Coordinates of all heavy atoms in Angstrom, one line a residue:
M229 N 30.7 -24.2 96.3 CA 32.1 -24.5 95.8 C 32.1 -25.7 94.9 O 32.6 -25.7 93.8 CB 33.0 -24.7 97.0 CG 34.5 -24.6 96.6 SD 35.0 -23.0 95.9 CE 36.5 -23.4 95.1
G230 N 31.4 -26.8 95.4 CA 31.3 -28.0 94.6 C 30.6 -27.8 93.3 O 31.0 -28.3 92.2
K231 N 29.6 -26.9 93.3 CA 28.8 -26.6 92.2 C 29.6 -25.9 91.1 O 29.5 -26.3 89.9 CB 27.6 -25.7 92.6 CG 26.2 -26.3 92.2 CD 25.2 -25.3 92.7 CE 23.8 -26.0 92.8 NZ 22.8 -25.1 93.4
L232 N 30.4 -25.0 91.6 CA 31.3 -24.2 90.6 C 32.3 -25.2 89.9 O 32.5 -25.1 88.7 CB 32.0 -23.2 91.4 CG 32.7 -22.1 90.6 CD1 31.6 -21.1 90.0 CD2 33.7 -21.3 91.4
L233 N 32.8 -26.1 90.7 CA 33.8 -27.0 90.1 C 33.1 -27.9 89.1 O 33.7 -28.2 88.0 CB 34.3 -27.9 91.3 CG 35.7 -28.5 91.0 CD1 36.8 -27.4 91.1 CD2 36.0 -29.6 92.0
F234 N 31.9 -28.3 89.4 CA 31.1 -29.1 88.5 C 30.9 -28.4 87.2 O 31.0 -28.9 86.1 CB 29.8 -29.6 89.1 CG 28.9 -30.3 88.1 CD1 29.2 -31.6 87.8 CD2 27.8 -29.7 87.5 CE1 28.4 -32.3 86.9 CE2 27.0 -30.4 86.6 CZ 27.3 -31.7 86.3
F235 N 30.5 -27.1 87.4 CA 30.2 -26.2 86.2 C 31.5 -26.1 85.3 O 31.4 -26.2 84.1 CB 29.7 -24.8 86.7 CG 29.4 -23.9 85.6 CD1 28.3 -24.1 84.8 CD2 30.3 -22.8 85.3 CE1 28.0 -23.2 83.8 CE2 30.0 -22.0 84.3 CZ 28.8 -22.2 83.5
A236 N 32.6 -25.8 86.0 CA 33.9 -25.7 85.3 C 34.2 -27.0 84.5 O 34.6 -26.9 83.3 CB 35.0 -25.4 86.3
A237 N 34.0 -28.1 85.1 CA 34.3 -29.4 84.5 C 33.3 -29.6 83.3 O 33.8 -30.0 82.2 CB 34.1 -30.5 85.5
A238 N 32.1 -29.2 83.4 CA 31.1 -29.3 82.3 C 31.5 -28.4 81.2 O 31.5 -28.9 80.0 CB 29.7 -28.9 82.8
V239 N 31.9 -27.2 81.5 CA 32.4 -26.3 80.4 C 33.6 -26.9 79.7 O 33.6 -26.9 78.4 CB 32.7 -24.9 81.0 CG1 33.4 -24.0 80.0 CG2 31.4 -24.2 81.4
F240 N 34.5 -27.4 80.5 CA 35.7 -27.9 79.9 C 35.4 -29.1 79.0 O 35.9 -29.2 77.9 CB 36.7 -28.4 81.0 CG 38.0 -29.0 80.5 CD1 39.0 -28.2 80.0 CD2 38.2 -30.4 80.6 CE1 40.1 -28.7 79.5 CE2 39.3 -30.9 80.1 CZ 40.3 -30.1 79.6
F241 N 34.5 -30.0 79.5 CA 34.1 -31.1 78.7 C 33.4 -30.7 77.4 O 33.8 -31.3 76.3 CB 33.1 -32.0 79.5 CG 32.7 -33.2 78.8 CD1 33.6 -34.3 78.6 CD2 31.4 -33.3 78.4 CE1 33.2 -35.4 78.0 CE2 31.0 -34.5 77.7 CZ 31.9 -35.5 77.5
L242 N 32.5 -29.7 77.4 CA 31.9 -29.3 76.2 C 32.9 -28.7 75.3 O 32.8 -28.9 74.0 CB 30.8 -28.2 76.6 CG 29.5 -28.8 77.2 CD1 28.6 -27.7 77.7 CD2 28.7 -29.6 76.1
W243 N 33.8 -27.9 75.8 CA 34.8 -27.3 75.0 C 35.6 -28.3 74.3 O 35.9 -28.2 73.1 CB 35.7 -26.4 75.9 CG 36.7 -25.6 75.1 CD1 36.6 -24.6 74.3 CD2 38.1 -25.9 75.1 NE1 37.8 -24.2 73.8 CE2 38.8 -25.0 74.2 CE3 38.9 -26.9 75.7 CZ2 40.1 -25.0 74.0 CZ3 40.3 -26.9 75.5 CH2 40.9 -25.9 74.6
K244 N 36.0 -29.3 75.0 CA 36.8 -30.4 74.4 C 36.1 -31.1 73.3 O 36.6 -31.4 72.2 CB 37.1 -31.5 75.5 CG 38.4 -31.2 76.2 CD 39.6 -31.5 75.3 CE 40.9 -31.6 76.1 NZ 42.0 -31.4 75.2
M245 N 34.8 -31.3 73.5 CA 33.9 -32.0 72.6 C 33.8 -31.2 71.3 O 33.9 -31.7 70.2 CB 32.5 -32.2 73.2 CG 31.9 -33.5 72.8 SD 30.5 -33.9 73.9 CE 29.3 -32.7 73.4
F246 N 33.6 -29.8 71.5 CA 33.5 -28.9 70.4 C 34.8 -28.9 69.6 O 34.8 -28.9 68.4 CB 33.2 -27.5 70.9 CG 33.1 -26.5 69.8 CD1 32.0 -26.5 69.0 CD2 34.1 -25.6 69.7 CE1 31.9 -25.5 68.0 CE2 34.0 -24.6 68.7 CZ 32.9 -24.6 67.8
Q247 N 35.9 -28.9 70.3 CA 37.2 -28.8 69.6 C 37.4 -30.1 68.7 O 37.8 -30.0 67.6 CB 38.4 -28.8 70.7 CG 38.6 -27.5 71.3 CD 39.3 -26.5 70.4 OE1 38.6 -25.7 69.7 NE2 40.6 -26.5 70.4
G248 N 37.1 -31.2 69.3 CA 37.2 -32.5 68.6 C 36.4 -32.5 67.4 O 36.8 -32.9 66.3
D249 N 35.2 -32.0 67.5 CA 34.2 -32.0 66.5 C 34.7 -31.1 65.3 O 34.6 -31.4 64.2 CB 32.9 -31.5 67.0 CG 31.7 -32.0 66.2 OD1 31.8 -33.2 65.9 OD2 30.7 -31.3 66.0
A250 N 35.2 -29.9 65.7 CA 35.7 -29.0 64.7 C 36.9 -29.6 63.9 O 36.9 -29.5 62.7 CB 36.1 -27.7 65.4
N251 N 37.8 -30.3 64.6 CA 38.9 -30.9 64.0 C 38.4 -32.0 63.0 O 38.9 -32.1 61.9 CB 39.8 -31.6 65.0 CG 40.7 -30.5 65.6 OD1 40.9 -29.4 65.1 ND2 41.3 -30.9 66.8
K252 N 37.4 -32.7 63.4 CA 36.9 -33.8 62.6 C 36.3 -33.2 61.3 O 36.5 -33.8 60.2 CB 35.9 -34.6 63.4 CG 35.7 -36.0 62.9 CD 34.7 -36.7 63.8 CE 33.9 -37.8 62.9 NZ 32.6 -38.0 63.4
R253 N 35.5 -32.2 61.5 CA 34.8 -31.6 60.4 C 35.9 -31.0 59.4 O 35.7 -31.1 58.2 CB 33.9 -30.4 60.9 CG 32.6 -30.4 60.1 CD 31.7 -29.4 60.7 NE 31.4 -29.7 62.1 CZ 31.1 -28.7 63.0 NH1 31.1 -27.5 62.7 NH2 30.8 -29.1 64.2
K254 N 36.9 -30.4 59.9 CA 38.0 -29.9 59.1 C 38.6 -31.0 58.2 O 38.8 -30.8 57.0 CB 39.1 -29.2 59.9 CG 39.8 -28.1 59.2 CD 41.0 -27.7 60.0 CE 40.6 -26.5 61.0 NZ 41.8 -26.2 61.9
Q255 N 38.8 -32.1 58.8 CA 39.4 -33.3 58.2 C 38.5 -33.8 57.1 O 38.9 -34.1 56.0 CB 39.7 -34.4 59.2 CG 40.7 -35.4 58.6 CD 41.8 -35.7 59.6 OE1 41.6 -35.5 60.8 NE2 42.9 -36.0 59.2
E256 N 37.2 -33.9 57.4 CA 36.2 -34.4 56.5 C 36.1 -33.4 55.3 O 36.0 -33.9 54.1 CB 34.8 -34.4 57.2 CG 34.6 -35.8 57.9 CD 33.4 -35.8 58.8 OE1 32.6 -34.8 58.7 OE2 33.2 -36.8 59.5
T257 N 36.2 -32.1 55.5 CA 36.1 -31.2 54.4 C 37.3 -31.4 53.5 O 37.2 -31.3 52.3 CB 36.1 -29.7 55.0 OG1 35.1 -29.6 55.9 CG2 35.9 -28.7 53.9
K258 N 38.5 -31.6 54.1 CA 39.7 -31.8 53.3 C 39.6 -33.1 52.5 O 39.9 -33.0 51.3 CB 40.9 -32.0 54.3 CG 42.2 -31.7 53.6 CD 43.4 -31.8 54.6 CE 44.6 -32.1 53.9 NZ 45.5 -33.0 54.6
I259 N 39.1 -34.1 53.1 CA 38.9 -35.4 52.3 C 37.9 -35.2 51.2 O 38.2 -35.6 50.1 CB 38.5 -36.5 53.3 CG1 39.6 -36.9 54.2 CG2 38.0 -37.8 52.5 CD1 39.3 -37.8 55.4
E260 N 36.9 -34.5 51.5 CA 35.8 -34.2 50.5 C 36.4 -33.5 49.3 O 36.2 -33.8 48.2 CB 34.7 -33.4 51.1 CG 33.4 -33.5 50.4 CD 32.3 -32.8 51.2 OE1 31.9 -33.3 52.3 OE2 31.9 -31.7 50.8
R261 N 37.2 -32.5 49.6 CA 37.9 -31.7 48.6 C 38.8 -32.5 47.7 O 38.8 -32.4 46.5 CB 38.6 -30.5 49.2 CG 38.8 -29.3 48.3 CD 39.6 -28.3 49.0 NE 41.0 -28.6 48.9 CZ 42.0 -27.7 48.9 NH1 41.7 -26.4 48.8 NH2 43.2 -28.1 48.8
E262 N 39.6 -33.4 48.4 CA 40.6 -34.2 47.7 C 39.8 -35.2 46.8 O 40.3 -35.5 45.7 CB 41.5 -34.9 48.7 CG 42.6 -34.0 49.1 CD 43.4 -34.5 50.3 OE1 43.1 -35.7 50.8 OE2 44.3 -33.8 50.7
T263 N 38.7 -35.7 47.2 CA 37.9 -36.6 46.4 C 37.4 -35.8 45.2 O 37.4 -36.4 44.1 CB 36.7 -37.1 47.2 OG1 37.1 -37.6 48.5 CG2 35.9 -38.2 46.5
L264 N 36.9 -34.6 45.4 CA 36.4 -33.8 44.2 C 37.5 -33.5 43.2 O 37.3 -33.6 42.0 CB 35.8 -32.5 44.7 CG 34.5 -32.6 45.4 CD1 34.0 -31.3 46.0 CD2 33.4 -33.1 44.5
I265 N 38.7 -33.3 43.7 CA 39.9 -33.0 42.9 C 40.2 -34.3 42.1 O 40.4 -34.2 40.9 CB 41.1 -32.6 43.7 CG1 40.9 -31.2 44.3 CG2 42.4 -32.5 42.8 CD1 41.8 -30.8 45.3
A266 N 40.2 -35.4 42.8 CA 40.5 -36.7 42.1 C 39.5 -37.0 41.1 O 39.8 -37.6 40.0 CB 40.6 -37.8 43.2
K267 N 38.2 -36.7 41.4 CA 37.2 -37.0 40.4 C 37.1 -36.0 39.2 O 36.4 -36.2 38.3 CB 35.8 -37.0 41.1 CG 35.5 -38.3 41.9 CD 34.0 -38.4 42.1 CE 33.5 -37.5 43.1 NZ 32.1 -37.8 43.6
G268 N 37.9 -34.9 39.4 CA 37.9 -33.9 38.3 C 36.8 -32.9 38.4 O 36.5 -32.2 37.5
E269 N 36.1 -32.9 39.6 CA 35.1 -32.0 39.8 C 35.6 -30.6 40.4 O 34.8 -29.7 40.5 CB 34.0 -32.6 40.7 CG 33.1 -33.5 39.9 CD 32.1 -34.3 40.7 OE1 31.7 -33.8 41.8 OE2 31.8 -35.4 40.4
M270 N 36.8 -30.7 40.8 CA 37.5 -29.5 41.3 C 38.7 -29.3 40.4 O 39.5 -30.3 40.2 CB 37.8 -29.5 42.7 CG 36.7 -29.1 43.6 SD 37.2 -28.8 45.3 CE 37.0 -27.1 45.4
V271 N 39.0 -28.1 40.0 CA 40.1 -27.9 39.1 C 41.0 -26.8 39.6 O 40.6 -25.9 40.4 CB 39.6 -27.5 37.7 CG1 39.1 -28.7 36.9 CG2 38.6 -26.4 37.7
K272 N 42.3 -26.9 39.2 CA 43.2 -25.9 39.7 C 43.3 -24.7 38.8 O 43.4 -24.9 37.6 CB 44.6 -26.6 39.8 CG 45.6 -25.8 40.7 CD 46.9 -26.6 40.8 CE 47.8 -25.9 41.7 NZ 49.1 -26.5 41.8
D273 N 43.2 -23.6 39.4 CA 43.4 -22.3 38.7 C 44.9 -22.2 38.4 O 45.7 -22.2 39.3 CB 42.9 -21.2 39.6 CG 43.1 -19.8 39.0 OD1 44.0 -19.6 38.2 OD2 42.3 -18.9 39.4
P274 N 45.3 -22.1 37.1 CA 46.8 -22.1 36.8 C 47.4 -20.8 37.2 O 48.6 -20.7 37.2 CB 46.8 -22.3 35.3 CG 45.4 -21.9 34.8 CD 44.5 -22.2 35.9
V275 N 46.6 -19.8 37.4 CA 47.2 -18.5 37.8 C 47.6 -18.4 39.3 O 48.7 -18.2 39.6 CB 46.3 -17.3 37.3 CG1 46.8 -16.0 37.8 CG2 46.2 -17.3 35.8
C276 N 46.6 -18.5 40.1 CA 46.8 -18.4 41.5 C 46.9 -19.7 42.3 O 47.3 -19.7 43.4 CB 45.7 -17.5 42.2 SG 44.1 -18.4 42.2
G277 N 46.6 -20.8 41.6 CA 46.9 -22.1 42.2 C 45.8 -22.6 43.1 O 45.9 -23.6 43.8
S278 N 44.7 -21.8 43.2 CA 43.6 -22.3 44.1 C 42.7 -23.2 43.4 O 42.6 -23.2 42.2 CB 42.9 -21.1 44.7 OG 42.2 -20.4 43.7
F279 N 42.0 -24.0 44.2 CA 41.0 -25.0 43.6 C 39.6 -24.4 43.5 O 39.2 -23.8 44.5 CB 41.1 -26.3 44.3 CG 42.3 -27.1 44.0 CD1 43.4 -27.0 44.8 CD2 42.3 -28.0 43.0 CE1 44.6 -27.7 44.5 CE2 43.4 -28.7 42.7 CZ 44.5 -28.6 43.4
V280 N 39.0 -24.6 42.4 CA 37.6 -24.2 42.2 C 36.8 -25.3 41.7 O 37.3 -26.2 41.0 CB 37.5 -23.0 41.2 CG1 37.8 -21.7 41.9 CG2 38.3 -23.2 40.0
S281 N 35.5 -25.3 42.1 CA 34.6 -26.4 41.6 C 34.3 -26.1 40.1 O 34.3 -24.9 39.7 CB 33.4 -26.5 42.4 OG 32.4 -25.5 42.0
L282 N 34.2 -27.2 39.4 CA 34.0 -27.1 37.9 C 32.8 -26.2 37.6 O 32.9 -25.4 36.6 CB 33.8 -28.5 37.4 CG 34.4 -28.8 36.0 CD1 35.9 -28.5 35.9 CD2 34.2 -30.2 35.7
E283 N 31.8 -26.3 38.4 CA 30.6 -25.5 38.1 C 30.8 -24.0 38.3 O 30.2 -23.2 37.6 CB 29.5 -26.0 39.1 CG 28.8 -27.3 38.6 CD 27.8 -27.8 39.6 OE1 27.2 -27.0 40.3 OE2 27.7 -29.0 39.8
D284 N 31.6 -23.7 39.3 CA 31.8 -22.2 39.6 C 32.9 -21.6 38.9 O 33.1 -20.4 39.0 CB 32.1 -22.1 41.1 CG 30.9 -22.5 42.0 OD1 29.8 -22.5 41.4 OD2 31.1 -22.9 43.1
S285 N 33.7 -22.4 38.1 CA 34.9 -21.8 37.5 C 34.6 -20.9 36.4 O 33.5 -21.0 35.7 CB 35.8 -23.0 37.1 OG 35.2 -23.6 36.0
V286 N 35.5 -20.0 36.1 CA 35.5 -19.2 34.9 C 36.3 -19.9 33.8 O 37.4 -20.2 34.1 CB 36.1 -17.8 35.2 CG1 36.1 -16.9 34.0 CG2 35.3 -17.1 36.4
R287 N 35.7 -20.1 32.7 CA 36.4 -20.9 31.7 C 37.0 -20.0 30.6 O 36.5 -19.0 30.3 CB 35.3 -21.9 31.0 CG 35.2 -23.1 31.8 CD 33.9 -23.8 31.5 NE 33.2 -24.0 32.7 CZ 32.1 -24.8 32.9 NH1 31.7 -25.5 31.9 NH2 31.5 -24.9 34.0
A288 N 38.1 -20.6 30.0 CA 38.7 -19.9 28.9 C 39.3 -21.0 28.0 O 39.7 -22.1 28.5 CB 39.8 -19.0 29.3
R289 N 39.3 -20.8 26.7 CA 39.8 -21.8 25.8 C 41.2 -21.4 25.4 O 41.4 -20.2 25.0 CB 38.9 -22.0 24.6 CG 39.3 -23.1 23.7 CD 38.4 -23.1 22.5 NE 37.1 -23.8 22.7 CZ 37.0 -25.1 22.5 NH1 38.0 -25.9 22.1 NH2 35.8 -25.7 22.8
D290 N 42.1 -22.3 25.5 CA 43.5 -22.0 25.0 C 43.8 -23.2 24.0 O 44.2 -24.2 24.4 CB 44.5 -22.0 26.2 CG 45.9 -21.7 25.7 OD1 46.1 -21.3 24.6 OD2 46.8 -21.9 26.5
G291 N 43.6 -22.9 22.7 CA 43.8 -23.9 21.7 C 42.8 -25.0 21.9 O 41.6 -24.8 21.9
E292 N 43.3 -26.2 22.2 CA 42.4 -27.4 22.4 C 42.0 -27.5 23.9 O 41.0 -28.2 24.2 CB 43.2 -28.7 22.0 CG 43.5 -28.8 20.5 CD 42.2 -29.0 19.7 OE1 41.7 -30.1 19.8 OE2 41.8 -28.1 19.0
K293 N 42.7 -26.8 24.7 CA 42.5 -27.0 26.2 C 41.4 -26.0 26.6 O 41.2 -24.9 26.2 CB 43.7 -26.6 27.0 CG 44.8 -27.8 26.9 CD 45.9 -27.4 27.8 CE 46.7 -26.2 27.3 NZ 47.9 -25.8 28.1
I294 N 40.6 -26.5 27.6 CA 39.7 -25.7 28.4 C 40.3 -25.4 29.7 O 40.7 -26.4 30.4 CB 38.3 -26.3 28.5 CG1 37.7 -26.7 27.2 CG2 37.4 -25.4 29.3 CD1 37.0 -25.6 26.4
L295 N 40.5 -24.2 30.0 CA 41.1 -23.8 31.3 C 40.1 -23.3 32.3 O 39.1 -22.7 31.8 CB 42.2 -22.8 31.1 CG 43.4 -23.3 30.3 CD1 44.1 -22.2 29.6 CD2 44.4 -24.1 31.2
H296 N 40.3 -23.5 33.5 CA 39.4 -23.1 34.6 C 40.0 -22.1 35.5 O 41.1 -22.4 36.0 CB 38.8 -24.3 35.3 CG 38.1 -25.2 34.4 ND1 36.7 -25.1 34.1 CD2 38.5 -26.3 33.7 CE1 36.4 -26.1 33.3 NE2 37.5 -26.8 33.0
F297 N 39.4 -21.0 35.8 CA 39.9 -20.0 36.7 C 38.9 -19.7 37.8 O 37.7 -19.9 37.7 CB 40.2 -18.7 36.0 CG 41.2 -19.0 34.8 CD1 40.7 -19.2 33.5 CD2 42.6 -19.0 35.0 CE1 41.6 -19.5 32.5 CE2 43.4 -19.2 34.0 CZ 42.9 -19.4 32.7
C298 N 39.5 -19.2 39.0 CA 38.6 -18.9 40.1 C 37.9 -17.6 39.9 O 36.9 -17.4 40.5 CB 39.5 -18.9 41.4 SG 40.5 -17.4 41.5
S299 N 38.4 -16.7 39.0 CA 37.8 -15.4 38.9 C 38.1 -14.9 37.5 O 39.1 -15.4 36.8 CB 38.3 -14.5 39.9 OG 39.7 -14.3 39.8
Y300 N 37.4 -13.9 37.1 CA 37.7 -13.2 35.8 C 39.0 -12.5 35.8 O 39.7 -12.5 34.8 CB 36.6 -12.2 35.5 CG 35.3 -12.8 35.1 CD1 34.2 -12.9 36.0 CD2 35.1 -13.4 33.8 CE1 33.0 -13.5 35.7 CE2 33.9 -14.0 33.5 CZ 32.9 -14.1 34.4 OH 31.7 -14.7 34.1
E301 N 39.4 -12.1 37.0 CA 40.7 -11.4 37.2 C 41.8 -12.4 36.8 O 42.7 -12.0 36.0 CB 40.8 -11.0 38.6 CG 41.8 -9.9 38.9 CD 42.0 -9.6 40.3 OE1 41.1 -10.0 41.1 OE2 43.0 -9.0 40.7
C302 N 41.7 -13.6 37.3 CA 42.8 -14.6 37.0 C 42.7 -15.0 35.5 O 43.8 -15.2 34.9 CB 42.6 -15.9 37.9 SG 43.2 -15.7 39.5
R303 N 41.6 -15.1 35.0 CA 41.4 -15.5 33.5 C 42.1 -14.4 32.7 O 42.9 -14.7 31.8 CB 40.0 -15.6 33.2 CG 39.8 -16.2 31.7 CD 38.4 -16.1 31.3 NE 38.0 -14.7 31.1 CZ 36.8 -14.3 30.6 NH1 35.9 -15.2 30.2 NH2 36.5 -13.1 30.5
D304 N 41.8 -13.1 33.0 CA 42.4 -12.0 32.2 C 43.9 -12.0 32.3 O 44.6 -11.8 31.4 CB 41.8 -10.7 32.7 CG 40.3 -10.5 32.3 OD1 39.8 -11.4 31.5 OD2 39.7 -9.6 32.8
K305 N 44.4 -12.3 33.5 CA 45.8 -12.3 33.8 C 46.4 -13.4 32.9 O 47.5 -13.2 32.3 CB 46.1 -12.6 35.3 CG 47.3 -11.9 35.8 CD 47.5 -12.3 37.2 CE 47.0 -11.4 38.2 NZ 47.3 -11.7 39.6
Y306 N 45.8 -14.5 32.9 CA 46.3 -15.7 32.1 C 46.3 -15.3 30.6 O 47.3 -15.5 29.9 CB 45.5 -16.9 32.3 CG 46.0 -18.1 31.6 CD1 47.0 -18.9 32.1 CD2 45.5 -18.4 30.3 CE1 47.5 -20.0 31.4 CE2 46.0 -19.5 29.6 CZ 47.0 -20.3 30.1 OH 47.5 -21.3 29.4
L307 N 45.2 -14.7 30.1 CA 45.1 -14.4 28.7 C 46.1 -13.4 28.3 O 46.6 -13.4 27.2 CB 43.6 -13.9 28.4 CG 42.6 -15.0 28.5 CD1 41.2 -14.4 28.3 CD2 42.8 -16.2 27.5
K308 N 46.4 -12.4 29.2 CA 47.4 -11.4 28.9 C 48.8 -12.0 28.8 O 49.5 -11.7 27.9 CB 47.4 -10.4 30.0 CG 46.6 -9.2 29.6 CD 46.6 -8.1 30.7 CE 45.4 -7.2 30.5 NZ 44.8 -6.7 31.7
Q309 N 49.0 -13.0 29.6 CA 50.3 -13.7 29.6 C 50.5 -14.5 28.3 O 51.5 -14.5 27.6 CB 50.4 -14.8 30.7 CG 50.9 -14.1 32.0 CD 50.8 -15.1 33.2 OE1 50.7 -16.3 33.0 NE2 50.9 -14.6 34.4
V310 N 49.4 -15.1 27.8 CA 49.4 -15.9 26.6 C 49.6 -14.9 25.4 O 50.4 -15.2 24.5 CB 48.1 -16.7 26.4 CG1 48.0 -17.2 25.0 CG2 47.9 -17.8 27.4
E311 N 48.9 -13.8 25.5 CA 49.0 -12.8 24.4 C 50.5 -12.3 24.3 O 51.0 -12.1 23.3 CB 48.1 -11.6 24.8 CG 47.5 -11.0 23.6 CD 46.5 -10.0 24.0 OE1 45.4 -10.4 24.5 OE2 46.7 -8.8 23.8
A312 N 51.0 -12.0 25.5 CA 52.4 -11.5 25.6 C 53.4 -12.5 25.0 O 54.4 -12.2 24.3 CB 52.8 -11.1 27.0
A313 N 53.1 -13.8 25.3 CA 54.0 -14.9 24.8 C 53.9 -15.0 23.3 O 54.9 -15.4 22.7 CB 53.7 -16.2 25.5
N314 N 52.7 -14.8 22.8 CA 52.5 -14.9 21.3 C 53.0 -13.7 20.6 O 53.3 -13.9 19.4 CB 51.0 -15.2 21.0 CG 50.5 -16.5 21.5 OD1 51.3 -17.5 21.6 ND2 49.2 -16.7 21.7
N315 N 53.1 -12.6 21.2 CA 53.5 -11.4 20.6 C 54.7 -10.8 21.4 O 54.5 -9.8 22.1 CB 52.4 -10.4 20.4 CG 51.2 -10.9 19.7 OD1 51.2 -11.3 18.6 ND2 50.1 -11.0 20.5
P316 N 55.9 -11.4 21.3 CA 57.0 -10.9 22.1 C 57.3 -9.4 21.9 O 57.8 -8.8 22.8 CB 58.1 -11.8 21.7 CG 57.6 -12.9 20.8 CD 56.2 -12.4 20.4
K317 N 57.1 -8.9 20.7 CA 57.5 -7.5 20.5 C 56.4 -6.6 21.0 O 56.6 -5.4 21.0 CB 57.7 -7.3 19.0 CG 59.1 -7.8 18.5 CD 59.2 -7.8 17.0 CE 60.5 -8.6 16.6 NZ 60.5 -8.8 15.2
G318 N 55.3 -7.1 21.3 CA 54.2 -6.3 22.0 C 53.3 -5.7 21.0 O 52.7 -4.7 21.2
Ligands
ZN506 ZN1 42.6 -17.6 40.7

């Protein structure tokens, strides 16, 4: 009986430790991401609003601006919107 209780306590302790570790890691990932955004190494996709790293982004030029998208799908969507705005009559 005492052994079982000890085992249960050990499992509980390990579980707690794992939970704390996971939370910490999540926070670190968040901080890391915010740092990358601040440094300009992560950019916001103007279509879906998700952040992508500069290296992995899909690029498109809009006049003087270089835009970054998470996928070709988002880029195409954006380009279609720009096209529609430039040619209102279609
Ligand atoms: Zn996107």
Side-chain angles (χ1 to χ4, degrees):
M229 195 63 198
K231 236 180 200 172
L232 196 73
L233 207 71
F234 175 76
F235 180 73
V239 167
F240 180 75
F241 181 71
L242 281 172
W243 180 74
K244 270 289 196 198
M245 217 163 71
F246 177 75
Q247 285 285 92
D249 209 39
N251 280 344
K252 205 178 147 208
R253 220 173 301 148
K254 207 188 271 176
Q255 197 129 29
E256 275 171 7
T257 307
K258 201 181 154 212
I259 290 167
E260 202 174 288
R261 206 183 77 148
E262 279 168 3
T263 309
L264 287 173
I265 291 166
K267 280 200 291 189
E269 283 173 28
M270 276 192 110
V271 284
K272 198 177 181 185
D273 179 329
V275 174
C276 68
S278 67
F279 283 92
V280 279
S281 81
L282 216 54
E283 282 174 32
D284 296 337
S285 69
V286 177
R287 274 158 237 197
R289 188 184 275 270
D290 181 13
E292 294 289 292
K293 281 185 294 179
I294 304 278
L295 294 154
H296 300 271
F297 303 92
C298 71
S299 62
Y300 288 104
E301 204 185 339
C302 282
R303 187 190 67 175
D304 289 349
K305 215 183 264 182
Y306 182 85
L307 292 177
K308 264 182 201 145
Q309 278 174 14
V310 170
E311 214 173 293
N314 289 339
N315 306 297
K317 280 173 192 166

